[in-house]
């Protein structure tokens, strides 16, 4: 498995918005190799001037694991190039086949460089906010193995963060509504994320420590979607509302919307 060559394939696919074949159909590769490809593709983004802003957890809910046909948690890296302002209009043309999903975001008050436990979380997390993630697999038809999606930085491609408030740990039963235009496409609960999205932070610390990745101070941690993701098309207004946390949203612009 050539790590650099495969990182280049995936980075180019994202940059040129051209889907590629699954790497796993051509080579067998391990989870460690998949994370090495991911790290190499992030290096390419950083070389182009992007700054690492945090991490995202994936497949922390059954809803997501079932939708995508995978069986384990994953993590990927977020950069400022993926940041989208809350309430803004974004061009859908910058993606291949974007899907949106509701997320809960945590913001670190201290760097996390080791596995932490539930009693320590409040020393490392200062704030939380409602969020939306835009995922855009670089693989054709949004189909992948666990190794493929890790190599592809867990489909990361955009994130929108709502107003932040003080971190609280009792967020295990928050109602989540995911709207596209006037349709309530999914109704969920924060319980779906490992019983409590705070548990996702513990796994984030464990998994990143395993790969010697330090989550910086002031960084974002997306806990993972509580509901399945939905395709977004030009003209759509996407809104997520989370009990006690509030609303976050964006509008999808692009060629079709302008017709
Ligand atoms: C992979 C990303 C999964 C989540 O919140 O579970 C993820 C994908 O579904 O393409 O972001
Ligand atoms: Mg996600």
């Amino acid at each position: 498995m050539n790590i650099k060559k495969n990182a280049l394939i995936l980075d180019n696919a994202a940059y040129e918005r051209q889907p590629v074949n699954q790497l796993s159909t051509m080579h067998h590769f391990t989870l460690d190799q998949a994370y090495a490809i991911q790290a190499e593709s992030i290096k390419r983004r950083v070389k182009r001037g992007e700054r690492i802003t945090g991490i995202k957890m994936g497949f922390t809910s059954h809803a997501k694991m079932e939708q995508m046909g995978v069986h384990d948690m994953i993590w990927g890296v977020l950069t400022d190039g993926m940041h989208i302002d809350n309430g803004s209009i974004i061009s859908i043309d910058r993606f291949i086949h974007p899907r949106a999903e509701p997320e809960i975001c945590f913001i670190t008050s201290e760097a996390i460089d080791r596995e932490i436990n539930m009693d320590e979380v409040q020393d490392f997390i200062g704030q939380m906010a409602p969020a939306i993630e835009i995922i855009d697999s670089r693989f054709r038809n949004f189909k992948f193995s666990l190794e493929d999606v890790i190599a592809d930085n867990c489909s990361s491609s955009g994130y929108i963060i709502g107003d932040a408030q003080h971190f609280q740990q009792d967020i295990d039963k928050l109602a989540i509504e995911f709207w596209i235009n006037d349709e309530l496409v999914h109704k969920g609960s924060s319980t779906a994320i490992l019983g409590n999205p705070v548990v996702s932070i513990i796994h984030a610390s464990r998994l990143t420590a395993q790969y010697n990745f330090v989550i910086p101070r002031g960084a974002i941690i997306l806990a993972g979607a509580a509901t399945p993701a939905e395709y977004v098309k030009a003209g759509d207004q996407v809104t997520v509302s989370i009990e006690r946390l509030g609303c976050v949203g964006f509008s999808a612009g692009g060629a079709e919307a302008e017709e």
Side-chain angles (χ1 to χ4, degrees):
M1 189 72 176
N2 184 325
I3 302 296
K4 284 204 167 154
K5 187 175 139 216
N6 286 289
L8 178 65
I9 289 172
L10 290 171
D11 188 47
N12 276 347
Y15 200 72
E16 289 161 12
R17 303 168 193 93
Q18 283 300 327
V20 294
N21 291 330
Q22 292 178 53
L23 306 180
S24 61
T25 57
M26 294 173 277
H27 323 265
H28 170 77
F29 61 112
T30 64
L31 290 182
D32 283 349
Q33 285 172 318
Y35 278 110
I37 295 170
Q38 179 191 120
E40 195 59 43
S41 77
I42 296 300
K43 259 197 208 161
R44 298 184 60 85
R45 283 181 177 263
V46 169
K47 255 198 199 143
R48 281 201 298 274
E50 290 182 39
R51 187 175 58 83
I52 291 173
T53 50
I55 66 151
K56 55 90 58 88
M57 292 293 289
F59 307 137
T60 52
S61 69
H62 285 294
K64 280 290 299 183
M65 281 200 214
E66 269 164 41
Q67 182 183 32
M68 306 318 291
V70 297
H71 56 274
D72 211 353
M73 265 180 246
I74 57 177
W75 67 280
V77 178
L78 303 172
T79 71
D80 59 352
M82 304 175 194
H83 171 88
I84 293 161
D85 283 333
N86 186 15
S88 64
I89 303 174
I90 56 156
S91 171
I92 220 70
D93 304 337
R94 66 188 253 196
F95 305 105
I96 302 168
H97 39 205
R99 286 173 160 179
E101 57 187 21
E103 294 270 352
I104 291 175
C105 168
F106 298 105
I107 301 165
T108 59
S109 52
E110 285 300 330
I112 304 179
D113 60 354
R114 61 178 173 86
E115 182 174 353
I116 61 171
N117 62 42
M118 280 301 261
D119 295 333
E120 295 175 297
V121 175
Q122 73 240 29
D123 302 332
F124 291 87
I125 304 294
Q127 293 179 299
M128 59 185 185
I132 296 174
E133 185 178 17
I134 300 178
I135 49 175
D136 191 31
S137 176
R138 269 54 71 164
F139 299 115
R140 227 163 245 131
N141 305 320
F142 231 110
K143 288 263 168 14
F144 42 68
S145 70
L146 196 60
E147 290 80 11
D148 285 324
V149 67
I150 290 167
D152 185 27
N153 193 26
C154 308
S155 310
S156 311
S157 91
Y159 62 84
I160 303 102
I161 312 286
D163 290 341
Q165 56 179 271
H166 279 299
F167 172 62
Q168 286 164 355
Q169 259 174 269
D170 62 336
I171 52 169
D172 55 327
K173 286 190 191 74
L174 307 183
I176 299 175
E177 287 186 359
F178 178 12
W179 293 83
I180 298 186
N181 304 318
D182 296 331
E183 193 189 341
L184 178 59
V185 288
H186 292 289
K187 220 169 141 69
S189 165
S190 60
T191 314
I193 308 160
L194 300 166
N196 183 337
V198 176
V199 177
S200 186
I201 302 169
I202 304 303
H203 288 286
S205 72
R206 175 179 60 81
L207 290 168
T208 51
Q210 206 173 310
Y211 290 94
N212 297 315
F213 180 95
V214 177
I215 306 173
R217 181 191 171 141
I220 293 159
I221 300 175
L222 296 182
T227 77
E230 290 295 328
Y231 281 113
V232 177
K233 56 182 189 328
D236 283 345
Q237 165 69 45
V238 179
T239 311
V240 164
S241 162
I242 304 182
E243 190 181 350
R244 274 170 47 199
L245 299 190
C247 282
V248 55
F250 70 92
S251 304
E256 273 176 60
E258 281 155 22
E259 269 170 23

